[in-house]
């Protein structure tokens, strides 16, 4: 594999990538596949921070749409991200990759709290650090959590693995003429309301000059290719 151009990266995966072909929840086989991709990326010499969403289990907005109190539903969503983080930690450690989970909601029986200096030490020692529970507050998403941790941990880039291979000027599933950008600037993403990440996450990356690399996580081996600066992707910068 070509030499990666980054040293430390934050990888954001939506919860949906853990559910495989199931309608919801966690499919251990898929988690193992994702863990193998992360392992390959780590073996290329990168320091890896990981943030996993919770949409495969629970989304606060969905609960609120059905009449729940939004903040209460969001806390449930944050707990879902901790379950995903533990599932990924299990899969990574089964592959021999030492991993620590740090949660923004303290849960000392199952993982560490978020402590930046400790996370630094884990990365130095070659561990993958999974940041769970987003920013630890309702009305946010794990995209904002990913942008926050990427800034805090001084990551060289935020890699957002999704089901599409980049950012388009229209929804490629609806419009066959939709065009994919190779690069695009933060302000165009915000002004045109392009569906990359939440506006607050994009703004945080912009203000801290963290490039966002959007790529498809569905193709096997793509993460390693994209990290090496190859493969199909859109860079928001
Ligand atoms: N959430 C939250 N604050 C955060 C991060 C997450 O309230 O800082 C809640 C929110 O309800 C969200 C859910 O956790 O819907 C799951 O996260 P997200 O929707 O970002 O997961 P993804 O779409 O990436 O799977």
């Amino acid at each position: 594999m070509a030499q990666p151009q980054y040293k430390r990266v934050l990888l954001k995966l939506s919860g949906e990538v853990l559910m495989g072909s199931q309608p919801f929840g966690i499919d251990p086989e898929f988690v193992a596949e994702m863990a193998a991709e992360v392992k390959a990326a780590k073996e290329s010499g990168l320091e890896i921070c990981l943030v996993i969403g919770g949409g495969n289990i629970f989304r606060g907005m969905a609960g609120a749409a059905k009449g729940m109190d939004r903040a209460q539903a969001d806390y449930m969503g944050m707990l879902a991200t901790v379950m995903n983080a533990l599932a990924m930690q299990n899969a990574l450690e089964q592959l021999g990759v030492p991993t620590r989970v740090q949660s923004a909601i303290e849960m000392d029986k199952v993982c560490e709290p978020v402590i930046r200096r400790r996370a630094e030490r884990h990365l130095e020692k070659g561990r993958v650090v999974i940041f769970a529970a987003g920013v630890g507050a309702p009305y946010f998403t794990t995209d904002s959590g990913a942008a926050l941790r990427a800034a805090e941990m001084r990551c060289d880039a935020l890699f957002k693995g999704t089901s599409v291979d980049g950012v388009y000027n229209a929804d490629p599933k609806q419009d066959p003429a939709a065009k994919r950008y190779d690069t695009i600037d933060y302000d165009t993403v915000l002004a045109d309301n392009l569906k990359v990440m939440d506006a607050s996450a994009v703004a945080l990356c912009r203000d801290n000059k963290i490039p966002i690399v959007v790529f498809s996580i569905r193709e096997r081996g793509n993460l390693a290719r994209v990290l090496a600066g190859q493969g199909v992707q859109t860079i928001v910068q």
Side-chain angles (χ1 to χ4, degrees):
M1 191 169 63
Q3 202 56 29
Q5 37 181 331
Y6 307 99
K7 182 168 188 299
R8 177 179 294 180
V9 298
L10 188 138
L11 173 62
K12 159 76 208 291
L13 300 175
S14 69
E16 280 168 5
V17 303
L18 303 189
M19 70 189 185
S21 49
Q22 300 178 165
F24 71 94
I26 298 172
D27 181 341
E29 230 177 87
F30 265 75
V31 184
E33 273 184 29
M34 285 298 138
E37 299 257 336
V38 174
K39 180 182 182 182
K42 195 183 158 288
E43 284 175 349
S44 73
L46 285 168
E47 292 179 344
I48 300 187
C49 303
L50 206 56
V51 167
I52 309 173
N56 54 321
I57 300 171
F58 196 82
R59 274 209 181 90
M61 291 273 257
K66 290 185 181 157
M68 287 186 72
D69 175 71
R70 169 74 192 268
Q72 182 82 344
D74 277 341
Y75 278 111
M76 291 171 65
M78 285 184 257
L79 297 182
T81 72
V82 180
M83 291 174 65
N84 284 339
L86 295 179
M88 180 57 84
Q89 177 177 41
N90 177 74
L92 283 168
E93 297 209 324
Q94 281 180 345
L95 295 176
V97 181
T99 305
R100 295 291 184 272
V101 176
Q102 294 200 342
S103 171
I105 295 178
E106 290 189 23
M107 239 178 272
D108 62 5
K109 292 287 187 290
V110 293
C111 59
E112 298 176 1
V114 176
I115 299 175
R116 186 177 65 83
R117 285 170 185 277
R118 189 183 274 186
E120 279 287 346
R121 192 83 186 106
H122 291 324
L123 293 174
E124 275 169 24
K125 288 190 168 176
R127 298 170 183 145
V128 169
V129 181
I130 308 178
F131 291 103
V135 306
Y139 294 92
F140 284 95
T141 67
T142 50
D143 281 349
S144 296
L148 171 65
R149 302 303 169 210
E152 194 178 20
M153 299 306 296
R154 295 189 302 275
C155 292
D156 300 316
L158 191 166
F159 283 78
K160 163 127 176 160
T162 71
S163 56
V164 282
D165 60 3
V167 182
Y168 285 77
N169 61 351
D171 184 348
K173 289 174 188 153
Q174 314 275 340
D175 181 355
K179 175 180 155 291
R180 187 179 55 77
Y181 298 101
D182 286 331
T183 59
I184 186 168
D185 58 89
Y186 303 106
D187 288 331
T188 307
V189 168
L190 291 172
D192 295 355
N193 200 17
L194 297 175
K195 302 278 173 260
V196 177
M197 299 205 300
D198 306 334
S200 54
V202 174
L204 196 56
C205 287
R206 178 193 60 191
D207 297 349
N208 292 285
K209 301 188 175 57
I210 300 165
I212 306 166
V213 184
V214 183
F215 70 100
S216 167
I217 192 76
R218 302 248 177 228
E219 266 170 72
R220 201 169 283 192
N222 207 28
L223 173 62
R225 279 195 293 279
V226 168
L227 285 169
Q230 303 158 350
V232 181
Q233 56 190 290
T234 295
I235 304 181
V236 185
Q237 57 193 4

